[in-house]
Amino acid sequence: MLANVSGLQSKLKLIDNSKAFQGFVIFVIIVSALSIGAHTYHLPTWMEQSLVVLDVGITVFFAIEIVIRFLASDGPKKFFSNGWNIFDTLIVIGSLIPAGGAGILIARLLRIFRVLRLVSMIPELRMLVNALLKAIPRMGYIALLMFVIFYIYGAIGSMLFAHINDFLWGDVSVAMLTLFRVSTFESWTSVMYETMAVYPLSWLYYLSFIFLTAFVFLNMMVGAVLDVMTQETQAMREEEADELALESGKSAEVDKPASAADVAELKAQIAELKGLLMQKAG
């Protein structure tokens, strides 16, 4: 019984790790994304019904695929120790909610997230997401510093320019929104020229703010993400190298020729067996 279970698990592992199966899963994810997009158009009735049947088939396939992956793993603890497996399981469970009745909107929204399974299936995309998540703490400190700068400049702008345009500079919160518009270069020159008509040197206020936000802090954000991405890329390459070394080591152990000492020991054992056989025959 245990041998049968072990043999089934080995077959499921071969299926789960095969390039063809993973490629087919990616193909189904893409088809699912196209199907979801097609539902947003006004289609003939027969096509709507065909998409419903296709959606059911995709849902069943995803359920079977996650079961195969679960059975191919070394137990539930090993399976759920991987965050991507938990992510895929939640998406599949959400897709099983019937797309009918009062919950039709929720069911459709949950089916949209099946497109995110493309991230879990492609290692390069997983690496990018992992790098982004690990960079969030660093980016958080940069964002906090940016908020401080926005607040200081917003308070100054509200004090200086509120009487010029109360809609843009009436209080510190509105002034910070105006500064966000300036930092995105959305018609910021019209805001600057309006205040320059009263304060000719107010361009210093805008240029210093743009220099800090659009050049310094933005580059700091990019640098933080690139630094983590470099570390993640190196870790992924080292992991691939370790797997290749492990596979080559296993094959070398299997294909390793017998040494002279092994041959001599084997001959001695054969001679000893012959002597015992001759003693029993005599």
Side-chain angles (χ1 to χ4, degrees), residues 37-268:
H39 278 293
T40 61
Y41 293 92
H42 296 288
L43 301 173
T45 305
W46 66 269
M47 190 173 291
E48 287 282 355
Q49 293 175 352
S50 301
L51 289 176
V52 171
V53 174
L54 178 63
D55 185 76
V56 172
I58 291 172
T59 302
V60 172
F61 173 79
F62 282 149
I64 294 173
E65 184 264 337
I66 204 71
V67 169
I68 290 175
R69 197 193 305 178
F70 177 78
L71 295 177
S73 65
D74 299 327
K77 186 176 181 180
K78 180 71 173 179
F79 180 80
F80 290 110
S81 63
N82 189 333
W84 290 108
N85 289 336
I86 298 175
F87 175 76
D88 290 342
T89 303
L90 292 176
I91 289 179
V92 171
I93 293 174
S95 299
L96 295 175
I97 297 176
I104 185 170
L105 179 60
I106 297 176
R108 287 182 176 178
L109 289 174
L110 290 172
R111 279 166 169 75
I112 294 173
F113 288 101
R114 290 192 304 202
V115 183
L116 291 175
R117 289 208 57 200
L118 198 63
V119 177
S120 65
M121 293 301 301
I122 301 177
E124 287 76 11
L125 292 181
R126 289 202 304 267
M127 184 269 294
L128 291 175
V129 173
N130 289 333
L132 181 61
L133 293 176
K134 290 183 179 180
I136 286 177
R138 301 186 189 184
M139 294 170 64
Y141 290 112
I142 299 172
L144 179 60
L145 183 58
M146 286 183 65
F147 175 80
V148 172
I149 297 299
F150 265 81
Y151 188 84
I152 292 173
Y153 271 82
I156 294 173
S158 180
M159 294 178 195
L160 295 178
F161 309 138
H163 67 282
I164 299 175
N165 190 330
D166 186 69
F167 181 75
L168 296 179
W169 305 99
D171 53 57
V172 66
S173 59
V174 174
M176 290 174 69
L177 287 175
T178 303
L179 289 174
F180 183 78
R181 169 184 169 183
V182 172
S183 66
T184 58
F185 302 108
E186 178 63 30
S187 301
W188 70 278
T189 52
S190 61
V191 179
M192 180 181 68
Y193 291 144
E194 184 181 37
T195 58
M196 283 181 64
V198 180
Y199 299 105
L201 294 179
S202 62
W203 60 270
L204 292 171
Y205 171 85
Y206 295 98
L207 293 187
S208 62
F209 175 77
I210 289 174
F211 176 79
L212 288 173
T213 57
F215 297 111
V216 176
F217 292 127
L218 181 61
N219 288 328
M220 289 173 66
M221 287 277 191
V222 174
V225 175
L226 288 178
D227 184 32
V228 177
M229 283 184 61
T230 302
Q231 297 175 6
E232 286 294 309
T233 304
Q234 185 177 0
M236 187 174 69
R237 289 177 178 174
E238 290 177 354
E239 184 178 353
E240 291 176 353
D242 292 340
E243 290 178 356
L244 289 174
L246 183 61
E247 291 178 0
S248 61
K250 288 181 178 179
S251 61
E253 289 179 0
V254 173
D255 301 333
K256 182 180 178 181
S259 62
D262 294 334
V263 173
E265 184 179 357
L266 183 59
K267 287 181 177 180

